[in-house]
Amino acid sequence: MPNILDKIIIIDVEATCWEGAPPAGMESDIIEIGICLLDVQTGEITDNKGILIKPERSDVSPFCTGLTTISPEMIANEGISFKAACAILRKEYLSQKRVWASFGAYDLKQFQRQCAALGVGFPFGPSHINVKTLFALKNKLRHEEGMAGALKILDIPLKGTHHRGVDDAYNIAKILNRVLID
């Protein structure tokens, strides 16, 4: 049996969003799952990728594209179903057996809501690390910081594009690694 505590799965999702309330009949859908593995012993970050997902209950708005850089065309050309993305997490990342982490509770809650709404099995096991809270506690902060603020406190440059899941997952892994080694 593989050592399932050797690596932590880092997840960051981007979802359909609007300036203001969602349009009538639309629900926020995950459109990108950013993922990577953090080696607990070495701090090495591997298997970093973004899985684009075709939204089933909404459209990618111009506001959403402006925030994430994810366009409807990118989704149409490269996107897969949410169910297929969850299968990739289970098979390629052993997501039901490994500890997983995200920055805040949003990603966990969005997965729970979307899995329930679409009848897709939750792809993760019970062990979740909220890096946002852990970072605030570790650094004795008065309030939780956003990811960019946490990177600034640690004097780590932000890699890539903020609000792209693939890049944010990598940056979150750097924050978690620092928390684990300090």
Side-chain angles (χ1 to χ4, degrees), residues 101-171:
S102 62
F103 204 82
Y106 173 80
D107 305 80
L108 168 65
K109 290 177 181 175
Q110 183 63 33
F111 262 102
Q112 289 171 332
R113 284 190 298 262
Q114 193 158 333
C115 285
L118 300 179
V120 174
F122 189 67
F124 300 104
S127 298
H128 175 258
I129 299 169
N130 181 330
V131 178
K132 187 178 194 177
T133 301
L134 185 63
F135 177 80
L137 292 168
K138 172 80 171 135
N139 290 280
K140 298 174 178 53
L141 303 178
R142 297 174 73 114
H143 59 84
E144 293 179 345
E145 284 283 339
M147 185 199 73
L151 288 168
K152 190 171 184 172
I153 288 169
L154 295 172
D155 199 28
I156 297 173
L158 187 138
K159 175 190 174 268
T161 302
H162 193 19
H163 299 300
R164 270 310 299 268
V166 62
D167 295 331
D168 286 353
Y170 185 88
N171 288 309

Short mmCIF file of all heavy atoms in Angstrom, two decimals, residues 101-171:
data_model
loop_
_atom_site.label_atom_id
_atom_site.label_comp_id
_atom_site.label_asym_id
_atom_site.label_seq_id
_atom_site.Cartn_x
_atom_site.Cartn_y
_atom_site.Cartn_z
N ALA A 101 -5.72 19.97 0.79
CA ALA A 101 -5.71 21.30 1.38
C ALA A 101 -6.20 22.33 0.37
O ALA A 101 -6.04 22.17 -0.83
CB ALA A 101 -4.29 21.65 1.84
N SER A 102 -6.79 23.39 0.91
CA SER A 102 -7.20 24.53 0.11
C SER A 102 -7.04 25.78 0.97
O SER A 102 -6.87 25.69 2.18
CB SER A 102 -8.64 24.38 -0.39
OG SER A 102 -9.54 24.31 0.70
N PHE A 103 -7.08 26.93 0.33
CA PHE A 103 -6.92 28.18 1.06
C PHE A 103 -8.29 28.71 1.41
O PHE A 103 -8.97 29.33 0.60
CB PHE A 103 -6.13 29.19 0.21
CG PHE A 103 -5.44 30.23 1.04
CD1 PHE A 103 -4.21 29.95 1.63
CD2 PHE A 103 -6.01 31.46 1.27
CE1 PHE A 103 -3.57 30.89 2.43
CE2 PHE A 103 -5.38 32.41 2.06
CZ PHE A 103 -4.16 32.12 2.64
N GLY A 104 -8.73 28.44 2.63
CA GLY A 104 -10.07 28.80 3.08
C GLY A 104 -11.01 27.63 2.90
O GLY A 104 -10.62 26.54 2.49
N ALA A 105 -12.28 27.88 3.21
CA ALA A 105 -13.30 26.83 3.14
C ALA A 105 -14.10 26.86 1.84
O ALA A 105 -14.89 25.95 1.58
CB ALA A 105 -14.24 26.96 4.34
N TYR A 106 -13.90 27.89 1.01
CA TYR A 106 -14.70 28.03 -0.21
C TYR A 106 -14.62 26.80 -1.11
O TYR A 106 -15.63 26.30 -1.59
CB TYR A 106 -14.28 29.28 -1.00
CG TYR A 106 -14.97 29.36 -2.34
CD1 TYR A 106 -16.26 29.83 -2.44
CD2 TYR A 106 -14.33 28.92 -3.50
CE1 TYR A 106 -16.92 29.86 -3.67
CE2 TYR A 106 -14.97 28.95 -4.72
CZ TYR A 106 -16.26 29.42 -4.80
OH TYR A 106 -16.90 29.43 -6.02
N ASP A 107 -13.41 26.32 -1.35
CA ASP A 107 -13.22 25.20 -2.29
C ASP A 107 -13.94 23.95 -1.79
O ASP A 107 -14.62 23.27 -2.56
CB ASP A 107 -11.73 24.93 -2.48
CG ASP A 107 -10.98 26.18 -2.92
OD1 ASP A 107 -10.67 27.02 -2.04
OD2 ASP A 107 -10.74 26.34 -4.11
N LEU A 108 -13.80 23.66 -0.49
CA LEU A 108 -14.49 22.52 0.12
C LEU A 108 -16.00 22.66 -0.05
O LEU A 108 -16.68 21.73 -0.51
CB LEU A 108 -14.12 22.44 1.61
CG LEU A 108 -14.94 21.49 2.48
CD1 LEU A 108 -14.74 20.05 2.06
CD2 LEU A 108 -14.59 21.69 3.95
N LYS A 109 -16.54 23.81 0.30
CA LYS A 109 -17.99 24.03 0.22
C LYS A 109 -18.49 24.00 -1.22
O LYS A 109 -19.57 23.46 -1.49
CB LYS A 109 -18.36 25.36 0.89
CG LYS A 109 -18.20 25.30 2.39
CD LYS A 109 -18.51 26.64 3.03
CE LYS A 109 -18.31 26.58 4.53
NZ LYS A 109 -18.48 27.88 5.16
N GLN A 110 -17.72 24.57 -2.15
CA GLN A 110 -18.14 24.56 -3.56
C GLN A 110 -18.18 23.13 -4.09
O GLN A 110 -19.11 22.75 -4.80
CB GLN A 110 -17.20 25.43 -4.41
CG GLN A 110 -17.61 25.52 -5.87
CD GLN A 110 -18.97 26.17 -6.11
OE1 GLN A 110 -19.38 27.06 -5.38
NE2 GLN A 110 -19.67 25.73 -7.14
N PHE A 111 -17.19 22.31 -3.74
CA PHE A 111 -17.21 20.90 -4.14
C PHE A 111 -18.42 20.19 -3.54
O PHE A 111 -19.11 19.43 -4.23
CB PHE A 111 -15.92 20.18 -3.73
CG PHE A 111 -14.91 20.06 -4.82
CD1 PHE A 111 -13.82 20.90 -4.86
CD2 PHE A 111 -15.04 19.10 -5.82
CE1 PHE A 111 -12.87 20.80 -5.87
CE2 PHE A 111 -14.10 18.99 -6.83
CZ PHE A 111 -13.01 19.85 -6.86
N GLN A 112 -18.68 20.41 -2.26
CA GLN A 112 -19.83 19.76 -1.61
C GLN A 112 -21.13 20.15 -2.30
O GLN A 112 -21.97 19.30 -2.61
CB GLN A 112 -19.88 20.13 -0.12
CG GLN A 112 -18.78 19.49 0.69
CD GLN A 112 -18.71 20.02 2.12
OE1 GLN A 112 -19.08 21.16 2.41
NE2 GLN A 112 -18.21 19.18 3.02
N ARG A 113 -21.33 21.46 -2.54
CA ARG A 113 -22.56 21.95 -3.19
C ARG A 113 -22.72 21.37 -4.58
O ARG A 113 -23.79 20.89 -4.96
CB ARG A 113 -22.55 23.48 -3.28
CG ARG A 113 -22.85 24.20 -2.00
CD ARG A 113 -23.06 25.71 -2.24
NE ARG A 113 -21.88 26.35 -2.80
CZ ARG A 113 -20.99 27.04 -2.08
NH1 ARG A 113 -21.12 27.16 -0.78
NH2 ARG A 113 -19.96 27.60 -2.67
N GLN A 114 -21.64 21.42 -5.37
CA GLN A 114 -21.73 20.99 -6.77
C GLN A 114 -21.91 19.47 -6.86
O GLN A 114 -22.67 18.99 -7.69
CB GLN A 114 -20.52 21.47 -7.56
CG GLN A 114 -20.71 21.33 -9.06
CD GLN A 114 -19.82 22.26 -9.85
OE1 GLN A 114 -19.41 23.33 -9.38
NE2 GLN A 114 -19.51 21.86 -11.07
N CYS A 115 -21.21 18.72 -6.03
CA CYS A 115 -21.37 17.26 -6.04
C CYS A 115 -22.81 16.90 -5.70
O CYS A 115 -23.42 16.04 -6.36
CB CYS A 115 -20.41 16.61 -5.05
SG CYS A 115 -18.69 16.57 -5.62
N ALA A 116 -23.38 17.55 -4.69
CA ALA A 116 -24.76 17.27 -4.29
C ALA A 116 -25.74 17.64 -5.40
O ALA A 116 -26.64 16.87 -5.73
CB ALA A 116 -25.10 18.02 -3.00
N ALA A 117 -25.55 18.82 -6.00
CA ALA A 117 -26.46 19.30 -7.04
C ALA A 117 -26.43 18.43 -8.30
O ALA A 117 -27.46 18.23 -8.94
CB ALA A 117 -26.13 20.75 -7.40
N LEU A 118 -25.24 17.92 -8.64
CA LEU A 118 -25.09 17.16 -9.90
C LEU A 118 -25.10 15.65 -9.69
O LEU A 118 -24.96 14.90 -10.66
CB LEU A 118 -23.81 17.59 -10.62
CG LEU A 118 -23.72 19.07 -11.02
CD1 LEU A 118 -22.38 19.36 -11.70
CD2 LEU A 118 -24.88 19.48 -11.91
N GLY A 119 -25.21 15.21 -8.44
CA GLY A 119 -25.23 13.77 -8.18
C GLY A 119 -23.89 13.10 -8.45
O GLY A 119 -23.84 11.94 -8.88
N VAL A 120 -22.80 13.82 -8.19
CA VAL A 120 -21.45 13.29 -8.40
C VAL A 120 -20.86 12.98 -7.03
O VAL A 120 -20.98 13.79 -6.10
CB VAL A 120 -20.57 14.32 -9.14
CG1 VAL A 120 -19.12 13.85 -9.23
CG2 VAL A 120 -21.13 14.60 -10.53
N GLY A 121 -20.22 11.83 -6.89
CA GLY A 121 -19.60 11.47 -5.62
C GLY A 121 -18.50 12.45 -5.23
O GLY A 121 -17.70 12.85 -6.08
N PHE A 122 -18.47 12.83 -3.96
CA PHE A 122 -17.45 13.74 -3.45
C PHE A 122 -16.08 13.09 -3.65
O PHE A 122 -15.86 11.96 -3.20
CB PHE A 122 -17.71 14.04 -1.96
CG PHE A 122 -16.86 15.11 -1.37
CD1 PHE A 122 -17.00 16.43 -1.78
CD2 PHE A 122 -15.92 14.81 -0.40
CE1 PHE A 122 -16.21 17.44 -1.22
CE2 PHE A 122 -15.13 15.80 0.16
CZ PHE A 122 -15.28 17.12 -0.25
N PRO A 123 -15.14 13.76 -4.34
CA PRO A 123 -13.90 13.11 -4.73
C PRO A 123 -12.81 13.04 -3.66
O PRO A 123 -11.76 12.45 -3.90
CB PRO A 123 -13.42 13.96 -5.91
CG PRO A 123 -13.93 15.33 -5.60
CD PRO A 123 -15.26 15.10 -4.92
N PHE A 124 -13.05 13.64 -2.49
CA PHE A 124 -12.01 13.71 -1.48
C PHE A 124 -12.35 12.88 -0.25
O PHE A 124 -13.51 12.62 0.03
CB PHE A 124 -11.78 15.17 -1.04
CG PHE A 124 -11.37 16.07 -2.17
CD1 PHE A 124 -12.27 16.96 -2.73
CD2 PHE A 124 -10.09 16.01 -2.69
CE1 PHE A 124 -11.91 17.78 -3.78
CE2 PHE A 124 -9.71 16.84 -3.74
CZ PHE A 124 -10.62 17.72 -4.28
N GLY A 125 -11.29 12.53 0.48
CA GLY A 125 -11.46 11.87 1.76
C GLY A 125 -11.76 12.91 2.84
O GLY A 125 -11.89 14.10 2.56
N PRO A 126 -11.83 12.46 4.10
CA PRO A 126 -12.26 13.35 5.18
C PRO A 126 -11.18 14.31 5.69
O PRO A 126 -11.50 15.24 6.41
CB PRO A 126 -12.66 12.37 6.28
CG PRO A 126 -11.81 11.16 6.03
CD PRO A 126 -11.66 11.08 4.53
N SER A 127 -9.92 14.10 5.33
CA SER A 127 -8.84 14.91 5.89
C SER A 127 -8.55 16.14 5.05
O SER A 127 -7.90 16.07 4.01
CB SER A 127 -7.57 14.07 6.02
OG SER A 127 -7.79 12.99 6.90
N HIS A 128 -9.06 17.29 5.50
CA HIS A 128 -8.90 18.56 4.79
C HIS A 128 -8.15 19.55 5.67
O HIS A 128 -8.45 19.67 6.86
CB HIS A 128 -10.26 19.15 4.41
CG HIS A 128 -10.17 20.51 3.78
ND1 HIS A 128 -10.45 21.67 4.47
CD2 HIS A 128 -9.81 20.89 2.54
CE1 HIS A 128 -10.27 22.71 3.67
NE2 HIS A 128 -9.89 22.27 2.49
N ILE A 129 -7.19 20.25 5.08
CA ILE A 129 -6.45 21.30 5.77
C ILE A 129 -6.88 22.64 5.20
O ILE A 129 -6.78 22.86 3.99
CB ILE A 129 -4.92 21.14 5.59
CG1 ILE A 129 -4.45 19.81 6.17
CG2 ILE A 129 -4.18 22.32 6.22
CD1 ILE A 129 -3.01 19.47 5.80
N ASN A 130 -7.33 23.54 6.09
CA ASN A 130 -7.66 24.90 5.69
C ASN A 130 -6.38 25.73 5.90
O ASN A 130 -6.06 26.11 7.02
CB ASN A 130 -8.82 25.44 6.53
CG ASN A 130 -9.22 26.85 6.16
OD1 ASN A 130 -8.40 27.64 5.70
ND2 ASN A 130 -10.48 27.16 6.36
N VAL A 131 -5.66 25.97 4.81
CA VAL A 131 -4.36 26.64 4.89
C VAL A 131 -4.51 28.09 5.35
O VAL A 131 -3.67 28.61 6.07
CB VAL A 131 -3.62 26.57 3.53
CG1 VAL A 131 -2.28 27.30 3.58
CG2 VAL A 131 -3.42 25.12 3.10
N LYS A 132 -5.60 28.73 4.99
CA LYS A 132 -5.84 30.12 5.39
C LYS A 132 -5.90 30.26 6.91
O LYS A 132 -5.24 31.12 7.50
CB LYS A 132 -7.15 30.59 4.75
CG LYS A 132 -7.45 32.06 4.93
CD LYS A 132 -8.76 32.38 4.19
CE LYS A 132 -8.95 33.86 4.04
NZ LYS A 132 -10.18 34.15 3.27
N THR A 133 -6.66 29.40 7.55
CA THR A 133 -6.79 29.43 9.01
C THR A 133 -5.49 28.99 9.67
O THR A 133 -5.03 29.61 10.63
CB THR A 133 -7.96 28.54 9.47
OG1 THR A 133 -9.17 29.02 8.85
CG2 THR A 133 -8.12 28.57 10.97
N LEU A 134 -4.91 27.92 9.16
CA LEU A 134 -3.66 27.40 9.71
C LEU A 134 -2.56 28.47 9.66
O LEU A 134 -1.83 28.68 10.64
CB LEU A 134 -3.22 26.15 8.96
CG LEU A 134 -2.00 25.40 9.48
CD1 LEU A 134 -2.26 24.88 10.88
CD2 LEU A 134 -1.65 24.26 8.53
N PHE A 135 -2.46 29.18 8.54
CA PHE A 135 -1.46 30.24 8.38
C PHE A 135 -1.69 31.35 9.40
O PHE A 135 -0.75 31.83 10.04
CB PHE A 135 -1.50 30.81 6.96
CG PHE A 135 -0.55 31.95 6.74
CD1 PHE A 135 0.79 31.72 6.51
CD2 PHE A 135 -1.00 33.26 6.80
CE1 PHE A 135 1.68 32.77 6.33
CE2 PHE A 135 -0.12 34.32 6.62
CZ PHE A 135 1.22 34.08 6.39
N ALA A 136 -2.94 31.77 9.58
CA ALA A 136 -3.26 32.85 10.53
C ALA A 136 -2.92 32.43 11.96
O ALA A 136 -2.34 33.22 12.72
CB ALA A 136 -4.74 33.23 10.42
N LEU A 137 -3.24 31.19 12.32
CA LEU A 137 -2.93 30.71 13.66
C LEU A 137 -1.41 30.60 13.88
O LEU A 137 -0.89 31.03 14.90
CB LEU A 137 -3.59 29.34 13.90
CG LEU A 137 -5.11 29.34 13.98
CD1 LEU A 137 -5.64 27.92 13.92
CD2 LEU A 137 -5.60 30.06 15.23
N LYS A 138 -0.74 30.04 12.91
CA LYS A 138 0.72 29.84 13.01
C LYS A 138 1.45 31.17 13.16
O LYS A 138 2.44 31.27 13.88
CB LYS A 138 1.20 29.09 11.76
CG LYS A 138 2.69 28.97 11.62
CD LYS A 138 3.24 27.88 12.47
CE LYS A 138 4.70 27.64 12.14
NZ LYS A 138 5.52 27.52 13.29
N ASN A 139 0.95 32.20 12.47
CA ASN A 139 1.60 33.51 12.48
C ASN A 139 0.99 34.47 13.50
O ASN A 139 1.34 35.65 13.50
CB ASN A 139 1.60 34.11 11.08
CG ASN A 139 2.54 33.36 10.16
OD1 ASN A 139 3.75 33.58 10.20
ND2 ASN A 139 2.01 32.44 9.37
N LYS A 140 0.07 33.95 14.32
CA LYS A 140 -0.57 34.74 15.38
C LYS A 140 -1.17 36.04 14.84
O LYS A 140 -1.01 37.12 15.44
CB LYS A 140 0.43 35.01 16.51
CG LYS A 140 0.91 33.73 17.19
CD LYS A 140 1.98 34.01 18.21
CE LYS A 140 2.47 32.77 18.94
NZ LYS A 140 2.91 31.67 18.15
N LEU A 141 -1.85 35.92 13.70
CA LEU A 141 -2.48 37.09 13.08
C LEU A 141 -3.81 37.39 13.78
O LEU A 141 -4.44 36.50 14.36
CB LEU A 141 -2.72 36.83 11.59
CG LEU A 141 -1.49 36.48 10.75
CD1 LEU A 141 -1.90 36.22 9.31
CD2 LEU A 141 -0.45 37.58 10.83
N ARG A 142 -4.25 38.61 13.67
CA ARG A 142 -5.54 39.01 14.27
C ARG A 142 -6.72 38.61 13.38
O ARG A 142 -7.85 38.56 13.85
CB ARG A 142 -5.54 40.51 14.51
CG ARG A 142 -4.49 40.94 15.51
CD ARG A 142 -4.43 42.43 15.61
NE ARG A 142 -5.58 42.92 16.33
CZ ARG A 142 -5.53 43.52 17.51
NH1 ARG A 142 -4.37 43.71 18.09
NH2 ARG A 142 -6.64 43.94 18.09
N HIS A 143 -6.45 38.39 12.10
CA HIS A 143 -7.49 37.97 11.16
C HIS A 143 -6.83 37.16 10.04
O HIS A 143 -5.61 37.24 9.85
CB HIS A 143 -8.25 39.17 10.57
CG HIS A 143 -7.34 40.14 9.85
ND1 HIS A 143 -6.97 39.97 8.53
CD2 HIS A 143 -6.72 41.25 10.27
CE1 HIS A 143 -6.17 40.94 8.17
NE2 HIS A 143 -5.99 41.75 9.21
N GLU A 144 -7.63 36.41 9.33
CA GLU A 144 -7.09 35.61 8.22
C GLU A 144 -6.75 36.52 7.05
O GLU A 144 -7.47 37.48 6.76
CB GLU A 144 -8.12 34.55 7.80
CG GLU A 144 -8.34 33.51 8.88
CD GLU A 144 -9.38 32.47 8.49
OE1 GLU A 144 -10.14 32.67 7.52
OE2 GLU A 144 -9.43 31.44 9.17
N GLU A 145 -5.67 36.22 6.39
CA GLU A 145 -5.21 36.95 5.21
C GLU A 145 -5.63 36.21 3.95
O GLU A 145 -5.76 34.99 3.97
CB GLU A 145 -3.68 37.05 5.21
CG GLU A 145 -3.11 38.03 6.16
CD GLU A 145 -3.25 39.47 5.68
OE1 GLU A 145 -3.41 39.70 4.47
OE2 GLU A 145 -3.19 40.36 6.54
N GLY A 146 -5.78 36.93 2.86
CA GLY A 146 -5.95 36.29 1.57
C GLY A 146 -4.64 35.65 1.12
O GLY A 146 -3.58 35.87 1.73
N MET A 147 -4.70 34.89 0.05
CA MET A 147 -3.50 34.20 -0.42
C MET A 147 -2.38 35.18 -0.78
O MET A 147 -1.23 34.98 -0.40
CB MET A 147 -3.84 33.32 -1.63
CG MET A 147 -2.67 32.47 -2.10
SD MET A 147 -2.86 31.88 -3.77
CE MET A 147 -2.58 33.37 -4.70
N ALA A 148 -2.71 36.23 -1.50
CA ALA A 148 -1.68 37.21 -1.90
C ALA A 148 -1.08 37.87 -0.66
O ALA A 148 0.14 38.10 -0.61
CB ALA A 148 -2.28 38.25 -2.84
N GLY A 149 -1.89 38.16 0.34
CA GLY A 149 -1.40 38.75 1.58
C GLY A 149 -0.48 37.81 2.33
O GLY A 149 0.54 38.23 2.89
N ALA A 150 -0.83 36.53 2.35
CA ALA A 150 0.01 35.52 3.02
C ALA A 150 1.36 35.41 2.32
O ALA A 150 2.40 35.35 2.98
CB ALA A 150 -0.69 34.17 3.05
N LEU A 151 1.35 35.41 1.00
CA LEU A 151 2.62 35.36 0.25
C LEU A 151 3.48 36.58 0.59
O LEU A 151 4.69 36.47 0.77
CB LEU A 151 2.36 35.30 -1.25
CG LEU A 151 1.82 33.99 -1.81
CD1 LEU A 151 1.34 34.16 -3.23
CD2 LEU A 151 2.86 32.87 -1.73
N LYS A 152 2.84 37.75 0.67
CA LYS A 152 3.57 38.98 0.98
C LYS A 152 4.20 38.90 2.37
O LYS A 152 5.36 39.27 2.55
CB LYS A 152 2.63 40.18 0.87
CG LYS A 152 3.32 41.50 0.93
CD LYS A 152 2.38 42.64 0.61
CE LYS A 152 3.18 43.94 0.59
NZ LYS A 152 2.40 45.05 0.12
N ILE A 153 3.45 38.42 3.35
CA ILE A 153 3.97 38.26 4.71
C ILE A 153 5.20 37.35 4.71
O ILE A 153 6.18 37.60 5.41
CB ILE A 153 2.88 37.72 5.67
CG1 ILE A 153 1.85 38.82 5.94
CG2 ILE A 153 3.48 37.21 6.98
CD1 ILE A 153 0.59 38.33 6.64
N LEU A 154 5.15 36.30 3.89
CA LEU A 154 6.26 35.34 3.82
C LEU A 154 7.38 35.79 2.89
O LEU A 154 8.39 35.10 2.75
CB LEU A 154 5.73 33.97 3.37
CG LEU A 154 4.78 33.28 4.34
CD1 LEU A 154 4.18 32.04 3.70
CD2 LEU A 154 5.48 32.94 5.65
N ASP A 155 7.17 36.91 2.20
CA ASP A 155 8.13 37.43 1.23
C ASP A 155 8.39 36.42 0.11
O ASP A 155 9.52 36.19 -0.31
CB ASP A 155 9.45 37.83 1.91
CG ASP A 155 10.27 38.78 1.06
OD1 ASP A 155 9.66 39.53 0.25
OD2 ASP A 155 11.51 38.78 1.19
N ILE A 156 7.30 35.80 -0.34
CA ILE A 156 7.35 34.85 -1.47
C ILE A 156 6.63 35.51 -2.64
O ILE A 156 5.48 35.93 -2.51
CB ILE A 156 6.63 33.52 -1.12
CG1 ILE A 156 7.32 32.81 0.05
CG2 ILE A 156 6.55 32.62 -2.34
CD1 ILE A 156 6.57 31.58 0.55
N PRO A 157 7.29 35.63 -3.78
CA PRO A 157 6.61 36.24 -4.94
C PRO A 157 5.47 35.36 -5.45
O PRO A 157 5.58 34.14 -5.46
CB PRO A 157 7.72 36.37 -5.99
CG PRO A 157 8.80 35.44 -5.55
CD PRO A 157 8.66 35.23 -4.08
N LEU A 158 4.39 36.01 -5.87
CA LEU A 158 3.26 35.30 -6.45
C LEU A 158 3.67 34.81 -7.83
O LEU A 158 4.14 35.58 -8.65
CB LEU A 158 2.05 36.23 -6.55
CG LEU A 158 0.75 35.59 -6.99
CD1 LEU A 158 -0.41 36.12 -6.16
CD2 LEU A 158 0.48 35.80 -8.45
N LYS A 159 3.50 33.51 -8.06
CA LYS A 159 3.84 32.93 -9.35
C LYS A 159 2.59 32.87 -10.22
O LYS A 159 1.53 32.45 -9.75
CB LYS A 159 4.40 31.51 -9.16
CG LYS A 159 4.66 30.78 -10.47
CD LYS A 159 4.96 29.31 -10.23
CE LYS A 159 5.08 28.53 -11.51
NZ LYS A 159 3.84 27.92 -11.96
N GLY A 160 2.72 33.30 -11.46
CA GLY A 160 1.61 33.15 -12.40
C GLY A 160 0.56 34.22 -12.25
O GLY A 160 0.83 35.34 -11.86
N THR A 161 -0.68 33.84 -12.55
CA THR A 161 -1.82 34.75 -12.57
C THR A 161 -2.72 34.46 -11.37
O THR A 161 -3.20 33.33 -11.23
CB THR A 161 -2.62 34.56 -13.88
OG1 THR A 161 -1.75 34.80 -14.99
CG2 THR A 161 -3.80 35.51 -13.95
N HIS A 162 -2.92 35.48 -10.54
CA HIS A 162 -3.84 35.32 -9.40
C HIS A 162 -5.25 35.08 -9.96
O HIS A 162 -5.64 35.69 -10.94
CB HIS A 162 -3.80 36.58 -8.54
CG HIS A 162 -4.44 36.44 -7.20
ND1 HIS A 162 -4.70 35.23 -6.60
CD2 HIS A 162 -4.90 37.37 -6.34
CE1 HIS A 162 -5.28 35.42 -5.44
NE2 HIS A 162 -5.42 36.72 -5.25
N HIS A 163 -5.98 34.18 -9.34
CA HIS A 163 -7.32 33.74 -9.76
C HIS A 163 -7.28 32.82 -10.97
O HIS A 163 -8.27 32.69 -11.68
CB HIS A 163 -8.28 34.92 -9.99
CG HIS A 163 -8.51 35.75 -8.77
ND1 HIS A 163 -9.05 35.22 -7.62
CD2 HIS A 163 -8.24 37.03 -8.50
CE1 HIS A 163 -9.11 36.17 -6.70
NE2 HIS A 163 -8.62 37.28 -7.21
N ARG A 164 -6.16 32.18 -11.18
CA ARG A 164 -6.09 31.00 -12.05
C ARG A 164 -5.78 29.85 -11.12
O ARG A 164 -4.78 29.87 -10.40
CB ARG A 164 -4.99 31.12 -13.11
CG ARG A 164 -5.38 31.75 -14.42
CD ARG A 164 -6.63 31.19 -15.09
NE ARG A 164 -6.58 29.77 -15.44
CZ ARG A 164 -6.18 29.31 -16.61
NH1 ARG A 164 -5.81 30.13 -17.56
NH2 ARG A 164 -6.18 28.02 -16.84
N GLY A 165 -6.64 28.83 -11.13
CA GLY A 165 -6.50 27.72 -10.20
C GLY A 165 -5.15 27.04 -10.27
O GLY A 165 -4.56 26.70 -9.24
N VAL A 166 -4.63 26.84 -11.47
CA VAL A 166 -3.34 26.16 -11.64
C VAL A 166 -2.23 26.91 -10.93
O VAL A 166 -1.37 26.31 -10.27
CB VAL A 166 -3.02 25.92 -13.14
CG1 VAL A 166 -2.89 27.23 -13.91
CG2 VAL A 166 -1.78 25.06 -13.30
N ASP A 167 -2.24 28.24 -11.03
CA ASP A 167 -1.19 29.05 -10.40
C ASP A 167 -1.45 29.22 -8.90
O ASP A 167 -0.52 29.16 -8.09
CB ASP A 167 -1.12 30.43 -11.06
CG ASP A 167 -0.66 30.34 -12.51
OD1 ASP A 167 0.08 29.40 -12.86
OD2 ASP A 167 -1.06 31.22 -13.30
N ASP A 168 -2.70 29.43 -8.52
CA ASP A 168 -3.02 29.60 -7.10
C ASP A 168 -2.73 28.33 -6.30
O ASP A 168 -2.25 28.41 -5.17
CB ASP A 168 -4.48 30.04 -6.92
CG ASP A 168 -4.70 31.50 -7.31
OD1 ASP A 168 -3.72 32.21 -7.60
OD2 ASP A 168 -5.87 31.93 -7.33
N ALA A 169 -2.99 27.16 -6.87
CA ALA A 169 -2.67 25.91 -6.18
C ALA A 169 -1.17 25.84 -5.88
O ALA A 169 -0.76 25.47 -4.78
CB ALA A 169 -3.11 24.69 -7.01
N TYR A 170 -0.35 26.22 -6.85
CA TYR A 170 1.10 26.22 -6.67
C TYR A 170 1.50 27.19 -5.55
O TYR A 170 2.32 26.87 -4.68
CB TYR A 170 1.80 26.59 -7.98
CG TYR A 170 3.29 26.51 -7.91
CD1 TYR A 170 3.95 25.32 -8.19
CD2 TYR A 170 4.05 27.62 -7.56
CE1 TYR A 170 5.34 25.23 -8.11
CE2 TYR A 170 5.44 27.54 -7.48
CZ TYR A 170 6.07 26.35 -7.76
OH TYR A 170 7.44 26.28 -7.67
N ASN A 171 0.93 28.39 -5.57
CA ASN A 171 1.25 29.39 -4.56
C ASN A 171 0.78 28.95 -3.17
O ASN A 171 1.48 29.17 -2.17
CB ASN A 171 0.62 30.74 -4.93
CG ASN A 171 1.34 31.39 -6.10
OD1 ASN A 171 2.55 31.53 -6.10
ND2 ASN A 171 0.59 31.76 -7.11
#
